[in-house]
Amino acid sequence: MSAEPSPSSTEATSGELTEPGSETTKSWRFYLIIATLSLIAFASALEGSVIAIALPQITHELSAGDNYVWIASSYLVAQTAIQPLCAQLSNILGRRNLMVFSIAVFAFGSGIAGGATDAPFLIAGRTVQGLGSGGVMMLIELIICDLVPLRERGKYLGYVQSPTAIGAIVGPVVGGALATANWRWIFYLNIPIAGIAMIIMIIFLRLNHEKPRSWKQAVLRVDWIGNAIFVASICSLLVGLVFGGTVYAWSSWRVILPVVLGACGWLCFHVYEWKPPAFCKEVSIPPRIFANRTSVAGFYIDFVSSMLLQWVAFFWPIYFQGTRGTSPLKAGIYFIPFEAFLLTTAVVAGGLLTKLGHYRPLHLVGFVLSTLGPGLNILLSDSTPKVVWVWFQIVDSIGRGILLPTTLPAIMASLPDSDAAAITGIDSAVRGTLQNGRAYQFVSGEYVQALPPAVKAEVITVYLRALRAVWIGAVAFGATGLVAVLVEKHIPLRTELDTKYGLKHEEEKATTVEHGTIDTRTLEG
């Protein structure tokens, strides 16, 4: 296990800091950037909470039940696969250029999804959205790492996430209303928000970075082979996991083959990153970030908490619409307690981390509550009183809210700031109608409610049994997170900022173009 790198004295890259070890002094430009990051995070939170509610209605209108899994998952697959490449490109080309481009891609994908006339069209739009969102969400955290020292990151991550509480709270209601009226505006609303964010980023987000001497050097610094292996293996692995148990049986070769290929490819990727060939100038994921137990435990905690957050958020609306017979709008209203407490808790947890400097107790409490939450959900039935399922949501969301802003600082505590970019029983007719994913398509329509009473009761029972398996799985994965908390150790959070990517001096002028170099306005961060 490697020793913790000692923090070096703060560089005056941004003109924002006072003396080492003191609280940082922020300018109006800093707060404008934080507000803009909050705005684009708001759009992402709105998109996530809206689509969770509206997706059953969208698939019903497009008759896309067979493709429900891909409509829901294409966004996440693209979002995951693109992040290592984005992290490396942000070091080479600068944070600002890549952030503006990522926002533009997100807006373009939103336009495609909003104009979709069939399932493949919608899946394509969601995939493009995911590519843009993957870059945006990674860069939001990365830019905060560039602007404030480690000890303050939990606080500012909480600040950026707090406006998203508005999006998360109103999202289910907006999603339910738009799903009933015109679901296309779920996607179109992202376009003006993205436009405002892009303009502000272009004008005010000016960060230092090491500019390559030429475009050739920039291209050679990219780990093309490593990223290609990662993208292919992650996509293959996720395809198998997405299809397993929904489109095909887990024993099907259509599930086993992509999972095996994806796992082998992922292993090959890490072997390649560990021993890169001579022509690979920079690997996208340096092996040193896995060199100590705290960073490894932190990565696993981040993985489990992020996965289970999506897991739970997608299936609460299914419970309301499938077993309680609610409309999309009412399902959105019923989901407000979860979203409200999730983001409110995230703000409080970020502030506590900054004040106390200890992340392990927060992780322990977070995983205890977020494991207890799905465990309580196992008790849900079609007649569970409202006060009961509201409290079930609150317990779960508080636990997950504690984990949101406290995981990244824990990972970074044992790593230097220079590695910030690399881290981040029914009759056959009904059975035939609901199989192969179409159960999601009909969950929000009138199909289930119009069935004969006896058959309707059986269908609701099937939904409850399926959801029970979902909650049990969430409990099992949450329990593994508790083990990871025991593995990580406490490392003091740095109070000084040691980065080459901080804000430029406000009075800094454009550098004169020299022979053999790239115009700084071309590659400016």
Side-chain angles (χ1 to χ4, degrees), residues 53 313-328 330-338 380-381 384-386 389-390 393 443-444 449 464 467 471:
I53 292 294
F314 266 98
F315 284 99
W316 267 110
I318 297 298
Y319 166 72
F320 290 128
Q321 297 178 61
T323 70
R324 307 300 291 255
T326 65
S327 66
K330 184 167 286 188
I333 295 172
Y334 284 176
F335 197 51
I336 285 178
F338 184 94
L380 291 171
S381 70
T384 301
K386 182 181 296 185
W389 56 252
V390 165
Q393 287 187 49
V443 72
S444 65
Q449 305 307 315
L464 287 171
L467 287 170
W471 308 135

Side-chain angles (χ1 to χ4, degrees), residues 25-49:
T25 303
K26 314 299 188 303
S27 71
W28 65 269
R29 190 158 62 103
F30 171 87
Y31 287 109
L32 179 62
I33 292 170
I34 292 294
T36 307
L37 295 177
S38 301
L39 179 65
I40 195 64
F42 164 84
S44 179
L46 188 68
E47 174 72 15
S49 57

Side-chain angles (χ1 to χ4, degrees), residues 426-441:
I426 307 169
D427 67 273
S428 58
V430 176
R431 185 184 301 112
T433 302
L434 298 181
Q435 67 183 2
N436 297 327
R438 286 190 293 269
Y440 296 104
Q441 172 182 335

Side-chain angles (χ1 to χ4, degrees), residues 148-154 408-409 412-413 417 492-496:
V148 296
L150 184 59
R151 182 69 174 262
E152 295 183 54
R153 286 173 196 168
L408 181 61
M412 292 300 301
D417 286 329
L493 301 180
R494 296 183 291 279
T495 58
E496 300 174 358

Side-chain angles (χ1 to χ4, degrees), residues 27 93 103 191 347 474:
S27 71
L93 303 179
I103 295 174
I191 297 176
V347 175

Side-chain angles (χ1 to χ4, degrees), residues 125-314:
R126 293 279 291 162
T127 301
V128 175
Q129 266 191 308
L131 292 173
S133 177
V136 166
M137 298 313 294
M138 184 275 298
L139 286 164
I140 285 175
E141 294 187 348
L142 190 53
I143 289 171
I144 291 177
C145 290
D146 292 338
L147 298 182
V148 296
L150 184 59
R151 182 69 174 262
E152 295 183 54
R153 286 173 196 168
K155 178 173 68 176
Y156 284 100
L157 284 171
Y159 286 168
V160 169
Q161 290 164 347
S162 61
T164 67
I166 301 174
I169 292 170
V170 305
V173 180
V174 172
L178 291 178
T180 303
N182 187 345
W183 58 264
R184 298 183 186 279
W185 280 99
I186 290 173
F187 303 105
Y188 290 151
L189 283 175
N190 294 322
I191 297 176
I193 294 176
I196 295 172
M198 287 174 62
I199 292 172
I200 295 176
M201 290 292 178
I202 290 172
I203 297 175
F204 296 104
L205 184 62
R206 297 181 179 274
L207 298 170
N208 291 299
H209 79 282
E210 293 181 345
K211 303 177 180 67
R213 293 188 299 270
S214 66
W215 280 109
K216 180 180 179 180
Q217 186 194 51
V219 171
L220 290 177
R221 285 180 61 185
V222 179
D223 182 11
W224 297 109
I225 296 177
N227 280 289
I229 296 173
F230 180 83
V231 170
S233 59
I234 282 294
C235 289
S236 179
L237 181 62
L238 292 178
V239 164
L241 295 177
V242 166
F243 281 171
T246 54
V247 180
Y248 304 110
W250 286 104
S251 58
S252 171
W253 67 269
R254 294 179 177 86
V255 173
I256 296 174
L257 181 61
V259 168
V260 171
L261 290 176
C264 292
W266 200 354
L267 178 62
C268 291
F269 166 74
H270 285 290
V271 171
Y272 178 87
E273 298 292 286
W274 181 47
K275 292 289 185 181
F279 59 80
C280 182
K281 304 299 182 183
E282 295 182 24
V283 295
S284 56
I285 301 182
R288 62 179 176 271
I289 69 176
F290 302 106
N292 63 83
R293 76 187 199 198
T294 299
S295 64
V296 172
F299 282 124
Y300 184 75
I301 288 170
D302 189 39
F303 164 72
V304 172
S305 59
S306 300
M307 175 184 66
L308 292 181
L309 178 58
Q310 294 288 338
W311 190 319
V312 171
F314 266 98

Side-chain angles (χ1 to χ4, degrees), residues 331-351:
I333 295 172
Y334 284 176
F335 197 51
I336 285 178
F338 184 94
E339 300 284 5
F341 277 85
L342 176 74
L343 277 305
T344 303
T345 305
V347 175
V348 174

